[in-house]
Amino acid sequence: MAVAFTTPALKYARLRITASGNWEAMLPGLSGSMGTYILPWFSLPEMVSFSLHDRALFDLVKTPADIQPPQLRRHLLSVQAEGYDGPDRALAAQDSLDREEEAGREIHYILIERALKQFGSDSDRSITADQLSDPNVMACAHQSLDVAKGQIGMIGEHVVATLRDWSDVILPIGLDQPQVNGYVMDQLQAIAAFTAELQEWASEESSSTAAMAGQISDAVSMSGRLAMETAEKLHMPEQNIRASLKNWPETRKMIRHLVHWCCWLLDGWPRLLDQWQREAEAPRFRQRELVAHLIQNLPVLPQEALSSNQMVLWANYRKNQKNWATLSLHGAPEEIDPDLQEMLDAFPVEEG
């Protein structure tokens, strides 16, 4: 899992838990190497001087439940909202949290409206999502949905509470009709825009730089396609809410799995897209340097998501990365001082 640290030496750090339960930090490309240093996660603060932002984020990642991109993102937004990454980030993070809270309410109300239309009492099937913010209307909805007790074993109050849980689980994706986008769908739109922009930018570059930009574009497009295919499956339970609620434990498990899978497929990309956006008005030579930097830090897809042909393609991506690194298209990071390098040399390096 990518961890959005701000300390330069940790910028592309990843966290994993091994089969034996060990927490490991993976620091790729440090000292200009093509491998990845493997360090004990909980020893990082003793080795690297954390920024206040990174210390606050590190302290929130404590349990295996935190080792999921959606949960880590919530931790990151909470840290940023407190001002650890500057006032601009604080405003943006708080805005994201506020918008998601509003989107969660909207999704909840839409699901209640659909439930009323599908199996509520006849007198209340005309209730709309916009009306449900009125406590009196919500009380009517509770009573109207009591008819579900004989069909799915839930009283109206339990139906509404379960739909609240549904809205929380589906929030990163949102709803299809009417469209309420979660942040994952926003990321997919950003990926489409980034791909088009990068392809246009590469058309005016030399063959070597254009090849790097093309590989970035291909990699992010593949991640986006796989995530979109997964996201589309999440709208199926909305078509028959009665059946979905009747088997809610299984439905919830399926929704949660697909949401997390979408997030894993896109893990690491938002950070790289943000870097590109920050250089949108930069001189072209700076953008070339960024492309050379990004190509060495492409997020990787889970092997389980790839076909055999796609795995061959990613193996070729890795060969290209090695060739470009050999040609010194990216240099050793300036933030690696001799003391840190000496400590890192005591830890194993994984190829790739």
Side-chain angles (χ1 to χ4, degrees), residues 53-64:
H53 169 281
D54 292 357
R55 182 74 229 196
L57 181 58
F58 181 87
D59 288 344
L60 289 175
V61 183
K62 298 177 179 178
T63 70

Side-chain angles (χ1 to χ4, degrees), residues 106-118:
E106 186 176 357
I107 292 171
H108 185 209
Y109 292 163
I110 290 172
L111 290 174
I112 294 173
E113 177 187 320
R114 290 181 179 177
L116 287 166
K117 284 181 168 54
Q118 289 183 25

Side-chain angles (χ1 to χ4, degrees), residues 196-222:
E197 184 177 340
L198 190 60
Q199 289 173 345
E200 181 179 355
W201 179 89
S203 66
E204 301 179 14
E205 288 296 314
S206 66
S207 59
S208 178
T209 304
M212 284 192 288
Q215 181 165 310
I216 295 170
S217 177
D218 289 346
V220 70
S221 294
M222 186 186 299

Side-chain angles (χ1 to χ4, degrees), residues 62-333:
K62 298 177 179 178
T63 70
D66 299 312
I67 316 301
Q68 290 286 347
Q71 183 59 38
L72 182 66
R73 180 178 177 274
R74 295 290 297 183
H75 288 330
L76 175 63
L77 288 176
S78 68
V79 168
Q80 290 179 335
E82 292 179 11
Y84 283 103
D85 201 13
D88 291 342
R89 290 283 187 182
L91 289 173
Q94 190 59 57
D95 181 59
S96 293
L97 291 169
D98 292 343
R99 283 189 288 109
E100 287 176 20
E101 183 177 353
E102 177 60 31
R105 279 194 296 270
E106 186 176 357
I107 292 171
H108 185 209
Y109 292 163
I110 290 172
L111 290 174
I112 294 173
E113 177 187 320
R114 290 181 179 177
L116 287 166
K117 284 181 168 54
Q118 289 183 25
F119 57 86
S121 62
D122 293 339
S123 61
D124 293 316
R125 290 186 180 182
S126 61
I127 292 176
T128 66
D130 292 338
Q131 297 171 318
L132 287 166
S133 58
D134 183 328
N136 293 324
V137 177
M138 181 63 81
C140 289
H142 281 202
Q143 294 176 2
S144 180
L145 292 171
D146 276 336
V147 299
K149 184 176 181 180
Q151 303 173 33
I152 60 177
M154 293 184 186
I155 61 173
E157 184 177 359
H158 190 189
V159 170
V160 170
T162 303
L163 293 176
R164 173 75 260 187
D165 185 33
W166 189 335
S167 68
D168 289 340
V169 177
I170 199 71
L171 181 58
I173 306 297
L175 296 179
D176 186 25
Q177 295 294 333
Q179 189 175 44
V180 181
N181 275 356
Y183 70 84
V184 168
M185 302 308 293
D186 291 339
Q187 289 173 359
L188 288 172
Q189 291 178 358
I191 282 174
F194 169 72
T195 302
E197 184 177 340
L198 190 60
Q199 289 173 345
E200 181 179 355
W201 179 89
S203 66
E204 301 179 14
E205 288 296 314
S206 66
S207 59
S208 178
T209 304
M212 284 192 288
Q215 181 165 310
I216 295 170
S217 177
D218 289 346
V220 70
S221 294
M222 186 186 299
S223 300
R225 285 195 304 272
L226 292 171
M228 181 61 79
E229 290 169 4
T230 303
E232 289 172 349
K233 299 175 184 177
L234 283 158
H235 301 307
M236 295 175 60
E238 302 164 19
Q239 307 308 313
N240 191 337
I241 292 181
R242 187 204 314 261
S244 297
L245 292 179
K246 189 173 183 178
N247 300 288
W248 177 241
E250 288 301 314
T251 302
R252 187 185 193 281
K253 182 179 178 180
M254 182 270 289
I255 293 175
R256 186 176 183 275
H257 169 73
L258 291 177
V259 167
H260 283 193
W261 190 240
C262 278
C263 294
W264 278 114
L265 291 169
L266 300 180
D267 185 43
W269 278 111
R271 189 87 177 274
L272 271 60
L273 268 60
D274 181 62
Q275 288 181 263
W276 178 259
Q277 284 300 315
R278 290 188 177 201
E279 299 291 341
E281 304 300 325
R284 206 162 181 93
F285 77 89
R286 285 264 302 278
Q287 294 174 335
R288 291 189 193 102
E289 290 175 354
L290 178 58
V291 166
H293 185 65
L294 295 182
I295 197 65
Q296 298 302 324
N297 294 284
L298 290 183
V300 293
L301 284 165
Q303 288 188 2
E304 297 88 343
L306 301 176
S307 66
S308 57
N309 289 337
Q310 289 169 330
M311 290 183 69
V312 171
L313 185 61
W314 276 90
N316 289 333
Y317 287 167
R318 182 59 188 147
K319 291 178 183 177
N320 292 338
Q321 284 178 312
K322 293 179 180 179
N323 292 336
W324 284 319
T326 302
L327 292 172
S328 300
L329 290 177
H330 79 302

Side-chain angles (χ1 to χ4, degrees), residues 29-49:
L30 297 181
S31 73
S33 72
M34 291 183 286
T36 299
Y37 285 98
I38 307 299
L39 290 71
W41 170 258
F42 294 107
S43 297
L44 276 183
E46 301 168 12
M47 302 186 61
V48 182
S49 180

